[in-house]
């Protein structure tokens, strides 16, 4: 296994996507939604792969799967929420009036459940995506290949057609009804379809998709009428939001060849570490930004302020990964291993070469 850090590494991509979200919250960049949707595509791929290769072969597969996926998210999520709650207690004037909801035990119950938690005040704004993740985790084993009941309904040879139809149908639901869940779940199903088809984009195709997207973004920045969709310090007019979301979703699907190409690449130890840290960067960065801006607003230049914030985000994410996520992950993986019906390592499905990215 190569020790070099490759730009095509699966961990590098996840870490980069997390930082796109950070940039969106610190600069007039409007690509945070795109990064989250690419995360959804990758999650759809890996959840389908892991169900097929590992969880379906465990004792009580569905219960083991849900326990494992919930365990993957909840420890760091609760720690970051506890930090946010302490900030509300110590500096309530930093927060909107509805932040007082956190003193209601019902708020914490809904937060801990994750699914449906985005309907209330969010101490961690990026946590809206965890709500969608949990919904997909709940339904995925019923619908993806080798699921609890999908194999009884749908012949294996028809599964790609089913997943493709679901992806298109969910996009249509969003476009014609405005239901956000359709948009979000379509990305998961696109990732599941890539695994089921064992689609392996070539390096040339991956570079072409990334190059086309980068070129389109660069071209869009050149014209005031399109720049507002990508980079703008002002609020986007309400009548243009649907157009922007359509562009974001289109950009996500254009980028899929590059994203899927990375999952077939060998991963070095550093690449795996960066990939594991991506969740910590994603879920905790807003607390650093919010605390810094309220404490030092106007006292430093913009460039120095951003440098300090990015350094603090990187350091805090590493500490959370080292002392919260890392120990929790070791326990979780031991739990999953103990649930295997047969001892030994399960052979991966042909074509899957990258490490199992059991991450956000």
């Amino acid at each position: 296994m190569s020790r070099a850090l490759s730009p095509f590494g699966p961990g590098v991509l996840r870490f980069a996507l997390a930082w796109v979200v950070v940039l969106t919250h610190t600069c007039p960049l409007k690509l945070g939604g795109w990064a989250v949707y690419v995360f959804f595509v990758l999650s759809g791929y890996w959840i389908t792969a892991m169900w097929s290769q590992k969880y379906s072969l465990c004792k009580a597969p569905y219960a083991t799967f849900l326990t494992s996926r919930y365990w993957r998210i909840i420890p760091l999520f609760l720690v970051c929420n506890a930090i946010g709650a302490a900030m509300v207690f110590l500096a309530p004037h930093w927060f909107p009036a509805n932040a007082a909801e956190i003193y209601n035990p019902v708020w914490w119950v809904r937060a801990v459940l994750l699914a449906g938690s985005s309907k209330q005040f969010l101490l961690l704004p990026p946590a809206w995506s965890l709500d969608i993740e949990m919904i997909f985790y709940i339904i995925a084993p019923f619908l993806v290949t080798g699921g609890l009941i999908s194999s009884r309904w749908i012949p294996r040879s028809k599964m790609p057609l089913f997943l493709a139809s679901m992806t298109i149908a969910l996009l249509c639901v969003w476009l014609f009804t405005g239901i956000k869940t359709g948009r979000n779940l379509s990305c998961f199903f696109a990732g599941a379809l890539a695994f089921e088809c064992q689609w392996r984009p070539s390096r040339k195709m991956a570079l072409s998709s990334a190059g086309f997207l980068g070129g389109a973004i660069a071209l869009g920045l050149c014209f005031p009428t399109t720049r507002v969709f990508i980079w703008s310090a002002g609020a986007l007019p309400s009548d243009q939001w649907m157009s922007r979301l359509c562009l974001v979703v289109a950009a996500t699907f254009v980028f899929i060849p590059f994203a899927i190409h990375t999952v077939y690449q060998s991963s070095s130890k550093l690449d795996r570490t960066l990939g594991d840290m991506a969740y910590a960067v994603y879920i905790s960065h807003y607390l650093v930004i919010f605390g810094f801006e309220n404490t030092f607003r106007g006292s430093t230049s913009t460039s120095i302020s951003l440098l300090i914030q990015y350094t603090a985000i990187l350091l805090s994410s590493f500490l959370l990964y080292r002392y919260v996520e890392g120990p929790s992950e070791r326990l979780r993986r031991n739990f999953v291993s103990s649930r295997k019906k047969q001892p030994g390592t399960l052979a991966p499905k042909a074509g899957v070469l990258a490490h199992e990215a059991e991450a956000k």
Side-chain angles (χ1 to χ4, degrees), residues 42-54:
L42 290 170
S43 184
Y45 178 95
W46 282 115
I47 291 304
T48 308
M50 288 187 293
W51 175 265
S52 175
Q53 299 169 6
K54 180 167 62 174

Side-chain angles (χ1 to χ4, degrees), residues 97-279:
N98 60 344
E101 291 179 22
I102 69 165
Y103 297 115
N104 186 338
V106 175
W107 185 92
W108 285 97
V109 171
R110 293 187 65 182
V112 169
L113 290 175
L114 287 176
S117 61
S118 64
K119 303 301 181 183
Q120 61 183 4
F121 170 75
L122 292 176
L123 270 176
L124 309 172
W128 69 268
S129 68
L130 303 185
D131 181 349
I132 307 300
E133 287 264 357
M134 283 306 303
I135 291 173
F136 180 69
Y137 294 161
I138 291 169
I139 67 173
F142 292 91
L143 299 176
V144 301
T145 177
L148 294 174
I149 55 179
S150 62
S151 58
R152 302 174 193 172
W153 289 351
I154 307 162
R156 181 61 183 270
S157 61
K158 302 295 184 183
M159 184 58 69
L161 179 61
F162 167 73
L163 292 173
S165 299
M166 285 293 295
T167 302
I168 295 171
L170 287 165
L171 282 173
C172 290
V173 166
W174 165 57
L175 288 170
F176 294 112
T177 68
I179 298 175
K180 297 178 182 178
T181 304
R183 178 185 72 227
N184 299 328
L185 290 181
S186 68
C187 297
F188 285 104
F189 277 97
L193 176 62
F195 174 80
E196 177 57 26
C197 293
Q198 285 295 282
W199 179 42
R200 187 169 182 171
S202 66
R203 179 67 57 91
K204 182 178 180 180
M205 179 182 289
L207 288 172
S208 296
S209 74
F212 179 81
L213 179 59
I217 291 174
L219 184 63
L221 290 171
C222 293
F223 303 97
T225 54
T226 53
R227 188 180 305 139
V228 68
F229 294 104
I230 304 165
W231 185 279
S232 175
L236 192 69
S238 58
D239 62 348
Q240 294 185 18
W241 268 100
M242 191 61 177
S243 298
R244 177 178 172 272
L245 285 174
C246 287
L247 288 173
V248 169
V249 173
T252 301
F253 279 76
V254 166
F255 192 71
I256 285 178
F258 186 94
I260 298 302
H261 178 75
T262 67
V263 305
Y264 289 95
Q265 308 310 303
S266 296
S267 184
S268 65
K269 182 178 180 180
L270 179 56
D271 183 79
R272 291 193 295 273
T273 298
L274 291 176
D276 290 340
M277 279 184 60
Y279 177 41

